[in-house]
Amino acid sequence: MYAKCGAIDAAAKVFDHLHVKDQVSWNTMISGFDQNGFSKQSLSSFCLMLRNDIQPSNYAIISTLSSLSDIVMCRQVHNLVLKHGMSGDIVLENALLSSYAKSGEMDSCECLFRKMADRRNGVSWNSMISGYIQNGLMQKAMDFVWFMIHNGPKMDGFTFATVLSACASIAALDSGMEIHAFGIRSHLETDVVVGSALVDMYGKSGRIDYASRVFESMNSRNEFSWNSMISGYARHGNGDKALKVFREMQQWGQEPDLVTFVGVLSACSHAGLVEEGSKYFESMKNHGLVPQMEHYSCMIDILGRTGKLNEMEDFIKKMPVRPNNLIWRTVLVACRRSKDGAKSGIWKQASEMLLELEPENPVNYVLISSMYAYRGRWEDVAKTRTAMRTLPVKKEAGRSWVTLHDGLHVFVAGDRSHPNTEEIYAKLHVLIQKIRDEFALYDIDMETKEELLSYHSEKLAVAFVLTRSCRVPIRIMKNLRVCGDCHSAFCYISKIVGRKITLRDCNRFHHFENGKCSCGDFW
DNA sequence: TTAGGGTTAG
């Protein structure tokens, strides 16, 4: 009872005072720790139980497994299962599948899944799909879904929610719509979790109109549904609608949480609503919420974006917690965007703090060097660039991808692995030449010019689409933020090719048309 | 009286 009510200390005290501890009491204690998020204690209780010569039951093993994400421990528990002749218990094997997946061991998962043969149930299939997704193997996950549709059990709400979330993360609109259609046929669109996942998927895939339609038709909504709708509008730069949904949420009686306020504040930031942003930030305490770094970062973004650098500086000084790397990076971005940013003293502080906190993150070096470039401090630009090359700087996994009728095409900067590489580069060279001729980039410094014309992943993706004859609008996705130079290049390209280009980065949507971007918001 | 798979931000 105590464990179920979250009073794990009281539960542990009662357990300690038990004269006789049988299998069930150990099981209850282990699962109590697990359910309350104390995975280490769950594992140590399990080990203690073994040392006390108590035979581990499947209940204890399953509870222990559900909090395990360590491959060595996972293998040891698996050996224990085999030793005690417990393989064949479907719940236990499913727990093993999900632990292997959490440990990043999809090979072991596949091996076990094959051995389970006829015993597999819906949970086993769902565990495999979410395992692929957790490990970033999106294409394998989607292949597995189609395999399940033809060879596996009927998909349930768990499957749909998992798969829709995967579609959302790669903005695979077509696959998401197919899954939606399957969901309707399975009468699962009334499930609140599936509905929320649909709202999120459409919001992240550029169809905010569909997201809204699904949201409006939902019979019941939870905090996930409201948050997905609010963040969806914020991501699309529609601040007013995001705030309208936020007001409706409160009228509906749904209490906002920390995630809600990230959505609300980022909506205010994109819409330039400084007063409203401050008001909502202050109102968090009325809901019993303590602002986290993300909320402080949003406020700094709001102040920085509207050029209020002095207010931004005051806000940072008054922060009750020590600013972290996220905060300082937001400051640098704000300074770079502002006309007076280069004159402001805070960008120097921000750059020093960033290099101290994250000396190996190349993003910081790029931001700092471009600020030096704006100030014409070429020696410092060169120094920062050299530091970036010589330090053990981690390579960013910056990827862009595009979905066409023949599947997903993924690019990294300077990529030459695509089968049509020659054709793609030829197209990109033509574009670059046109940009040179048409826009005569004489007034741009060399540094920016090089960046603007380099082979970043999103430019390779757009060049690839242009090698195909289809005339549909171009939709490119990127897992990192779009840099300012690529942003400018996309403005040029949209004018040259006379086509709409939508680029979704980790943060929001950018719609380019006729040489302009709808949001005017770049890094 | 104990057990496995699901959705939201950054």
Side-chain angles (χ1 to χ4, degrees):
Chain A
M1 185 275 285
Y2 278 128
K4 273 195 176 157
C5 297
I8 194 67
D9 290 344
K13 209 175 249 177
V14 173
F15 179 75
D16 282 343
H17 285 92
L18 285 176
H19 290 298
V20 182
K21 296 182 176 79
D22 65 357
Q23 253 194 359
V24 175
S25 42
W26 280 100
N27 297 346
T28 314
M29 196 62 248
I30 293 166
S31 74
F33 277 130
D34 172 45
Q35 282 160 10
N36 286 280
F38 294 92
S39 50
K40 273 189 187 164
Q41 285 84 344
S42 170
L43 181 61
S44 53
S45 298
F46 180 72
C47 296
L48 200 62
M49 183 179 99
L50 294 182
R51 277 205 291 276
N52 280 308
D53 286 331
I54 307 281
Q55 181 85 353
S57 71
N58 45 359
Y59 282 91
I61 294 177
I62 290 160
S63 297
T64 309
L65 275 173
S66 69
S67 56
L68 267 190
S69 56
D70 175 79
I71 183 60
V72 178
M73 291 307 300
C74 199
R75 289 221 174 93
Q76 282 181 358
V77 176
H78 195 170
N79 285 337
L80 200 72
V81 169
L82 296 172
K83 192 175 130 192
H84 287 86
M86 286 163 148
S87 48
D89 179 333
I90 181 68
V91 182
L92 209 159
E93 284 177 316
N94 286 342
L96 268 171
L97 276 181
S98 102
S99 289
Y100 273 129
K102 271 189 254 168
S103 317
E105 282 287 309
M106 284 315 290
D107 289 347
S108 304
C109 275
E110 284 172 355
C111 182
L112 179 58
F113 186 79
R114 270 195 299 274
K115 281 187 188 150
M116 286 163 71
D118 298 338
R119 289 194 300 280
R120 298 168 194 152
N121 62 10
V123 179
S124 330
W125 287 81
N126 292 345
S127 302
M128 289 301 289
I129 296 169
S130 73
Y132 285 124
I133 294 166
Q134 280 163 27
N135 289 289
L137 303 164
M138 295 300 169
Q139 197 56 56
K140 273 204 148 184
M142 295 311 290
D143 292 346
F144 202 86
V145 170
W146 299 126
F147 183 62
M148 181 178 179
I149 287 170
H150 294 113
N151 304 288
K154 199 164 172 262
M155 297 202 288
D156 60 11
F158 283 80
T159 329
F160 280 101
T162 311
V163 176
L164 286 169
S165 152
C167 294
S169 71
I170 56 168
L173 180 63
D174 295 341
S175 302
M177 288 179 85
E178 278 186 76
I179 299 294
H180 187 181
F182 269 105
I184 292 170
R185 265 179 267 163
S186 311
H187 305 290
L188 279 165
E189 78 276 26
T190 50
D191 182 319
V192 67
V193 181
V194 173
S196 308
L198 276 169
V199 172
D200 181 52
M201 184 276 291
Y202 281 124
K204 282 184 178 156
S205 307
R207 292 309 302 256
I208 194 72
D209 50 338
Y210 288 179
S212 165
R213 207 183 294 171
V214 172
F215 181 74
E216 292 301 330
S217 70
M218 286 173 77
N219 298 323
S220 62
R221 295 170 188 162
N222 63 13
E223 68 270 36
F224 288 82
S225 340
W226 290 99
N227 291 348
S228 298
M229 196 67 245
I230 293 170
S231 316
Y233 277 129
R235 194 176 290 115
H236 281 262
N238 205 329
D240 293 337
K241 283 201 172 159
L243 297 178
K244 185 169 169 271
V245 176
F246 177 61
R247 285 190 292 272
E248 277 173 23
M249 173 183 189
Q250 286 164 296
Q251 284 159 9
W252 189 283
Q254 176 71 56
E255 193 55 24
D257 62 11
L258 289 169
V259 179
T260 318
F261 277 99
V262 173
V264 167
L265 294 175
S266 82
C268 291
S269 149
H270 294 312
L273 305 167
V274 184
E275 297 296 318
E276 285 84 346
S278 306
K279 194 183 82 189
Y280 288 124
F281 182 80
E282 288 302 320
S283 78
M284 286 180 72
K285 56 177 178 287
N286 303 334
H287 297 278
L289 299 170
V290 179
Q292 307 292 300
M293 278 302 174
E294 290 74 23
H295 305 96
Y296 285 106
S297 170
C298 284
M299 275 310 294
I300 291 166
D301 198 45
I302 290 175
L303 296 169
R305 201 179 282 266
T306 43
K308 299 184 184 304
L309 296 189
N310 293 333
E311 282 96 324
M312 182 177 83
E313 204 166 343
D314 286 343
F315 185 85
I316 293 171
K317 278 183 192 152
K318 285 181 194 155
M319 274 176 64
V321 281
R322 205 174 131 83
N324 67 357
N325 52 338
L326 177 67
I327 299 287
W328 292 122
R329 206 159 31 242
T330 313
V331 171
L332 275 196
V333 173
C335 289
R336 183 179 142 151
R337 193 186 285 126
S338 165
K339 272 185 214 156
D340 304 322
K343 289 183 212 151
S344 141
I346 197 165
W347 86 268
K348 189 164 191 308
Q349 188 190 355
S351 53
E352 283 169 3
M353 289 306 299
L354 268 178
L355 292 186
E356 188 188 317
L357 291 167
E358 281 186 330
E360 294 189 5
N361 189 343
V363 173
N364 300 333
Y365 291 83
V366 173
L367 271 172
I368 292 166
S369 92
S370 74
M371 271 307 285
Y372 281 131
Y374 279 108
R375 299 183 103 186
R377 287 169 54 176
W378 300 109
E379 276 185 25
D380 290 320
V381 171
K383 266 188 212 165
T384 315
R385 291 268 159 176
T386 311
M388 184 172 142
R389 284 187 206 106
T390 50
L391 282 170
V393 166
K394 275 184 281 178
K395 286 264 182 263
E396 280 285 304
R399 288 172 300 151
S400 295
W401 62 95
V402 57
T403 313
L404 294 184
H405 67 278
D406 57 344
L408 195 68
H409 300 263
V410 186
F411 299 89
V412 295
D415 205 334
R416 298 198 72 88
S417 62
H418 195 279
N420 306 112
T421 286
E422 295 309 322
E423 205 185 344
I424 293 166
Y425 274 86
K427 181 59 86 177
L428 191 53
H429 287 146
V430 171
L431 284 179
I432 287 174
Q433 197 53 52
K434 278 192 181 172
I435 292 176
R436 278 185 208 277
D437 296 345
E438 192 159 332
F439 299 100
L441 306 173
Y442 302 124
D443 54 340
I444 297 177
D445 62 75
M446 276 309 292
E447 184 90 3
T448 310
K449 196 168 173 177
E450 273 178 31
E451 288 287 336
L452 190 58
L453 301 178
S454 65
Y455 307 129
H456 288 176
S457 60
E458 55 268 51
K459 284 181 212 149
L460 288 169
V462 79
F464 162 67
V465 179
L466 293 170
T467 62
R468 301 294 182 95
S469 54
C470 48
R471 289 282 305 173
V472 290
I474 303 170
R475 298 173 70 245
I476 311 248
M477 308 297 144
K478 193 175 183 200
N479 64 337
L480 300 177
R481 283 199 196 192
V482 177
C483 78
D485 301 311
C486 271
H487 201 280
S488 310
F490 269 75
C491 287
Y492 292 138
I493 294 170
S494 73
K495 191 165 183 181
I496 293 166
V497 300
R499 280 168 76 173
K500 266 192 192 174
I501 306 174
T502 298
L503 183 52
R504 194 204 87 180
D505 65 12
C506 65
N507 207 25
R508 52 172 295 124
F509 282 89
H510 308 260
H511 301 287
F512 301 92
E513 196 172 7
N514 277 328
K516 280 187 184 157
C517 176
S518 58
C519 63
D521 162 33
F522 60 87
W523 209 33

